[in-house]
Amino acid sequence: AQSVSQHNHHVILSEAASLELGCNYSYGGTVNLFWYVQYPGQHLQLLLKYFSGDPLVKGIKGFEAEFIKSKFSFNLRKPSVQWSDTAEYFCAVNLFSSNTGKLIFGQGTTLQVKP
Amino acid sequence: EAGVTQFPSHSVIEKGQTVTLRCDPISGHDNLYWYRRVMGKEIKFLLHFVKESKQDESGMPNNRFLAERTGGTYSTLKVQPAELEDSGVYFCASSHIQGGEQFFGPGTRLTVL
């Protein structure tokens, strides 16, 4: 069965530290890739997405992600985190050929940024 | 533009009772999805509507769950009878394009005692 794996369940960083959250998926076909974020008390919102083209995609709030097809990875990065980045981050995959829009989510990574 | 809304925000019921969750998607979005997150686990897909038709219901746990989307607008998800393991947060999402960005509602936290 297709799955998405996020390597880190809980990350603690100090402000200004760099962030990289790992995401790998198990599916050999064409995929659409997403990173969603859930800030405390808020609903899930899209950080960035990859459908095709340049594998380095930029999202909101200074986040970016790189799609590496050979590694089945879509890691999320930010050069310098802020306290306001404290949230839970979800990697998600849509299988392009599946004739369904369903997203397969990773387990989520909770990021805590210390001021 | 109004976002996806869900009602109620919280529901506490006893085992064996019935609960109905409601989702109002963004106006004009034909695609509507239900997901569930059980505590400590990942967000899992339940089903996908395109307008009023069920495009994919492969994630529905069992026949105690019934989803409807009459008229292709809002959707309801009924759990009858509820069991303890049904506790979790139920998310609804909608999208304009299948496979495109999904906009999520705030979720309904269901607790079955």
Side-chain angles (χ1 to χ4, degrees):
Chain A
Q2 296 85 17
S3 64
V4 177
S5 176
Q6 292 182 236
H7 311 155
N8 317 95
H9 291 164
H10 196 101
V11 174
I12 302 174
L13 295 173
S14 297
E15 274 193 316
S18 64
L19 171 72
E20 180 159 2
L21 301 183
C23 173
N24 285 88
Y25 62 93
S26 62
Y27 180 68
T30 303
V31 293
N32 293 332
L33 298 158
F34 305 83
W35 275 98
Y36 281 86
V37 61
Q38 187 170 28
Y39 297 102
Q42 297 186 27
H43 52 88
L44 280 157
Q45 56 187 281
L46 184 71
L47 263 183
L48 47 77
K49 60 183 183 276
Y50 173 81
F51 289 169
S52 64
D54 188 342
L56 184 63
V57 292
K58 296 193 184 298
I60 61 170
K61 306 188 180 186
F63 286 90
E64 64 178 33
E66 185 175 13
F67 170 49
I68 302 179
K69 189 174 182 180
S70 61
K71 295 185 178 180
F72 301 92
S73 71
F74 191 55
N75 292 354
L76 181 71
R77 299 194 292 249
K78 185 170 184 178
S80 176
V81 294
Q82 301 173 309
W83 177 78
S84 57
D85 293 324
T86 294
E88 191 165 16
Y89 293 80
F90 298 90
C91 181
V93 172
N94 168 252
L95 310 182
F96 188 75
S97 63
S98 64
N99 198 31
T100 169
K102 78 176 182 185
L103 294 177
I104 303 169
F105 282 88
Q107 305 95 314
T109 298
T110 301
L111 171 65
Q112 183 183 351
V113 180
K114 296 196 282 189
Chain B
E1 177 183 89
V4 177
T5 57
Q6 293 186 244
F7 182 83
S9 56
H10 294 84
S11 181
V12 181
I13 61 172
E14 296 199 345
K15 176 182 170 180
Q17 290 186 319
T18 298
V19 63
T20 300
L21 314 180
R22 173 171 170 143
C23 168
D24 286 78
I26 291 172
S27 178
H29 281 190
D30 288 340
N31 296 277
L32 186 150
Y33 312 83
W34 284 99
Y35 295 88
R36 176 175 73 173
R37 190 180 196 192
V38 171
M39 190 169 10
K41 300 285 186 73
E42 71 271 26
I43 300 169
K44 281 199 167 177
F45 167 81
L46 297 178
L47 90 158
H48 169 204
F49 283 101
V50 177
K51 297 186 180 177
E52 67 275 9
S53 300
K54 292 175 184 172
Q55 177 79 2
D56 179 358
E57 52 185 330
S58 61
M60 294 288 264
N62 50 62
N63 59 11
R64 296 186 293 103
F65 289 75
L66 175 64
E68 294 181 322
R69 192 182 182 194
T70 308
T73 54
Y74 70 91
S75 174
T76 57
L77 179 65
K78 182 191 288 188
V79 186
Q80 179 183 31
E83 298 288 345
L84 299 179
E85 64 265 24
D86 301 332
S87 295
V89 180
Y90 290 76
F91 294 102
C92 176
S94 71
S95 71
H96 180 54
I97 299 170
Q98 179 173 299
E101 176 183 356
Q102 295 183 20
F103 296 83
F104 282 79
T108 293
R109 182 174 296 277
L110 174 64
T111 303
V112 182
L113 302 175

